[in-house]
């Protein structure tokens, strides 16, 4: 019992993990605008493309972390009050999801000059897919994970499954990819939990291991190998994105989709694992930076929900008036997205009612 408590104290560094993941999310949304707006010949276009593609681990890292935390907290329990479990997740995730879906639906409706009555059917359809704004799909995936979690927890009781969670995650991911490629042809594949099986099962493995040993990657040489693999696969993923962007004929080459599959899933899964020891080290040795990162991590859910609204206002009301300072205002948009949404999350938490409705906090 004592070692269990000690291990739980060590998981405070996960707030640093959350901060790194949310900073990567903001990086994607900030640089993605520049990638879409600039010609490929612009001197800074390759930099934006590198930063954008190198940050693709962000959402997988959050899903990995959610599975990790759930298995860390619930694996091995003899009894779980599932009614209480789901009520808590309805209040902390579903309610904010619906509220922010309404907010972004009204924003888009107003911006397009449409009427609410005219677009209302689209709202309910988009609510199923998290399509009322670009980032809301993540909450739909989280809701699907909550439905899947009891089954994952149940099969993890079996020794063979428990010992091969990572392998099972890989096999399920490959099976889902092949099934969709040859049979199902799902159009909104990114909003289905099947697209993220590997991150959830790797997260389950990490949660069980952390609960048992308090450490995910203990030996130094294994950490070195892990970091090298992350760098190699990350470089391969960025290179793949460059080839697709600059050489359109590359898209039609044989095995391109398989190369993409391996580089994306390999990079994001290994990066999520590598962020655990990195976050633990930063938490212990980062000083002021660690405190800053922890604060961002604590507010990460609020930042995730709000930052696209900040970016929307910035690009439509501020950036559009200064086209000659494009790169400077791209940088400014990212800083505003982080600090304004962070301030919003902090202020909202001071109000109990607003915090419950907007951020799902108890």
């Amino acid at each position: 019992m004592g070692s269990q408590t000690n291990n739980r104290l060590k998981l405070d560094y996960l707030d640093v993990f959350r901060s790194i993941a949310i900073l990567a999310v903001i990086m994607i949304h900030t640089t993605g605008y520049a990638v879409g707006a600039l010609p490929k010949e612009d001197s800074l276009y390759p930099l934006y493309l590198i930063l954008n593609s190198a940050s693709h681990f962000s959402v997988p890292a959050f899903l990995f972390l959610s599975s990790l935390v759930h298995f860390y907290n619930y694996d091995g329990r003899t009894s779980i009050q599932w009614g209480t479990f789901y009520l808590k997740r309805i209040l902390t995730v579903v309610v904010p999801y619906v509220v922010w879906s309404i907010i972004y639906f009204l924003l888009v409706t107003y911006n397009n000059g449409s009427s609410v009555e005219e677009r209302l059917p689209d709202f309910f359809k988009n609510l199923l897919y998290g399509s009322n704004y670009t980032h809301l799909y993540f909450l739909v995936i989280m809701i699907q994970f909550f439905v899947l979690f009891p089954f994952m927890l149940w099969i993890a009781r079996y020794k063979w499954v428990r010992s091969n969670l990572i392998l099972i995650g890989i096999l399920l991911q490959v099976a889902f990819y092949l099934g969709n490629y040859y049979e199902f042809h799902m159009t909104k594949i990114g909003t289905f939990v099947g697209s993220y099986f590997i991150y959830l099962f790797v997260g389950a493995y990490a949660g069980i291991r952390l609960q048992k040993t308090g450490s995910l990657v203990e030996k130094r040489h294994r950490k070195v190998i892990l970091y090298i693999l992350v760098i190699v696969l990350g470089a391969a993923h960025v290179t793949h994105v460059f080839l697709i962007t600059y050489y359109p004929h590359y898209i039609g080459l044989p095995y391109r989709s398989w190369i993409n599959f391996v580089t994306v899933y390999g990079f994001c899964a290994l990066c999520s694992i590598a962020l655990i020891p990195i976050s633990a080290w930063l938490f212990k040795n980062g000083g002021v930076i660690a405190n800053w990162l922890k604060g961002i991590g604590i507010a990460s859910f609020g930042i995730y929900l709000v930052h696209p609204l900040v970016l929307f206002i910035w690009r439509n009301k501020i950036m559009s008036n200064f086209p000659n300072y494009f790169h400077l205002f791209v940088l400014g948009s990212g800083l505003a997205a982080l600090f304004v949404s962070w301030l919003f999350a902090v202020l909202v938490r001071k109000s109990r009612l607003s915090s419950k409705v907007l951020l799902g906090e108890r």
Side-chain angles (χ1 to χ4, degrees), residues 105 115-127:
F105 167 77
S115 67
V116 173
E117 294 79 7
E118 178 186 355
R119 293 198 63 243
L120 196 58
D122 292 334
F123 167 78
F124 291 105
K125 178 182 177 181
N126 291 338
L127 196 64

Side-chain angles (χ1 to χ4, degrees), residues 31-40 42 45 319 326 330:
T31 58
Y33 177 80
V35 168
L38 288 173
K40 296 175 186 176
D42 189 277
Y45 186 90
M319 193 168 181
F326 180 85
V330 168

Side-chain angles (χ1 to χ4, degrees), residues 62-63 66 93 137-147:
F62 273 122
L63 293 170
S66 182
V93 175
Y137 76 96
F138 169 72
L139 300 183
V140 173
I141 299 167
M142 285 298 302
I143 293 169
Q144 294 175 56
F145 166 63
F146 297 151
V147 175

Side-chain angles (χ1 to χ4, degrees), residues 23-169:
L23 288 172
V25 168
I26 293 175
M27 180 66 75
I28 289 175
H29 293 162
T30 301
T31 58
Y33 177 80
V35 168
L38 288 173
K40 296 175 186 176
E41 296 74 23
D42 189 277
S43 59
L44 287 181
Y45 186 90
L47 176 62
Y48 287 121
L49 195 61
I50 290 171
L51 293 174
N52 185 273
S53 54
S55 301
H56 286 170
F57 68 87
S58 56
V59 167
F62 273 122
L63 293 170
F64 162 88
L65 183 62
S66 182
S67 182
L68 182 158
V69 171
H70 276 75
F71 270 87
Y72 183 86
N73 288 328
Y74 289 96
D75 181 67
R77 285 196 182 185
T78 55
S79 63
I80 299 174
Q81 300 297 322
W82 289 111
T84 303
F85 175 90
Y86 281 109
L87 176 61
K88 179 180 177 181
R89 274 127 193 98
I90 289 171
L91 295 176
T92 56
V93 175
V94 178
V95 170
Y97 168 64
V98 173
V99 170
W100 284 101
S101 293
I102 294 171
I103 292 172
Y104 282 105
F105 167 77
L106 294 175
L107 175 70
V108 172
T109 300
Y110 168 77
N111 186 64
N112 293 341
S114 306
S115 67
V116 173
E117 294 79 7
E118 178 186 355
R119 293 198 63 243
L120 196 58
D122 292 334
F123 167 78
F124 291 105
K125 178 182 177 181
N126 291 338
L127 196 64
L128 294 175
Y129 297 103
S131 303
N132 281 300
Y133 212 71
T134 54
H135 66 310
L136 294 173
Y137 76 96
F138 169 72
L139 300 183
V140 173
I141 299 167
M142 285 298 302
I143 293 169
Q144 294 175 56
F145 166 63
F146 297 151
V147 175
L148 183 65
F149 174 64
F151 174 74
M152 291 180 63
L153 196 64
W154 175 69
I155 63 172
R157 296 184 304 172
Y158 295 94
K159 186 177 180 180
W160 185 89
V161 173
R162 200 175 187 82
S163 303
N164 295 278
L165 282 167
I166 294 179
L167 175 61
I168 292 171

Side-chain angles (χ1 to χ4, degrees), residues 202-251:
V202 173
Y205 163 81
I208 292 172
R209 183 168 177 82
L210 284 173
Q211 186 192 74
K212 184 178 180 180
T213 67
S215 177
L216 187 55
V217 187
E218 297 175 354
K219 295 182 179 180
R220 185 175 179 179
H221 73 278
R222 291 185 178 179
K223 289 182 182 179
V224 172
I225 294 172
L226 174 62
Y227 298 150
I228 291 173
L229 287 173
V230 170
I231 293 171
V232 170
L233 283 170
H237 172 59
V238 172
T239 301
H240 187 78
V241 173
F242 262 80
L243 289 172
I244 293 173
T245 304
Y246 283 96
Y247 304 98
H249 68 275
Y250 172 76
I251 297 175

